[in-house]
Amino acid sequence: MHEEANGERRRVGSDVPPSGADREFLSLERELTVLLRRARANQGEMAREVHPDLESAAYGLLVRLDECGSQRATELAAYIGVGKATMSRQLRALEELGLVAREPDPADGRAWLVALTDEGRGRVGQVREARRARYVSQLAHWDRREVSELARLLHELNRVMEK
């Protein structure tokens, strides 16, 4: 069902305001939805490239450990945005696959740090390098400054969304 107001047609009951200022946010929402859908599919592919039995969600943990080094499980859970039980289950699965290992935290003997094994580091490195090469190929027609600006804007978006 539609209604006309001020010469604009819109769905009745829709929260979509006709103002031009909000159209940009609707466009952002649409493009992020497509990006996130594709990212989830790609994450599954990358996870399987690291190890055929690796869960899609665990790939992000491996990347975080690759970039930041050893971390406590609680830090990883907070970064990824999951509970302790979920994190514990994912880390146990990664340990069973030989991709991560736990080691005592030298700063606190009661705590453990999670780190990539040599096998995990090698596999994650290969997949990340292949992904980087794919980006270079797909975005070869972009100016490097545009790529840099996109990365900067996505970083800022991620930072804002953390809060």
Side-chain angles (χ1 to χ4, degrees), residues 85-140:
T86 299
M87 181 56 56
S88 180
R89 182 183 58 77
Q90 287 183 344
L91 290 175
R92 198 168 30 259
L94 290 171
E95 279 184 293
E96 289 172 6
L97 295 174
L99 302 173
V100 302
R102 295 177 201 236
E103 53 195 38
D105 185 345
D108 181 353
R110 301 167 295 167
W112 293 86
L113 294 174
V114 179
L116 288 175
T117 61
D118 289 341
E119 177 75 11
R121 189 173 296 101
R123 288 179 180 234
V124 170
Q126 286 177 325
V127 172
R128 293 189 80 192
E129 177 55 28
R131 180 57 40 143
R132 186 202 59 76
R134 185 181 301 174
Y135 289 146
V136 168
S137 173
Q138 290 172 331
L139 301 176

Side-chain angles (χ1 to χ4, degrees), residues 55 57-62 64-65 71-95 100 102 114:
E55 286 184 33
Y59 180 77
L61 291 173
L62 297 175
R64 179 70 174 180
L65 290 169
Q71 293 193 325
R72 290 184 181 186
T74 53
E75 293 171 317
L76 289 169
Y79 177 77
I80 300 293
V82 298
K84 286 174 65 176
T86 299
M87 181 56 56
S88 180
R89 182 183 58 77
Q90 287 183 344
L91 290 175
R92 198 168 30 259
L94 290 171
E95 279 184 293
V100 302
R102 295 177 201 236
V114 179

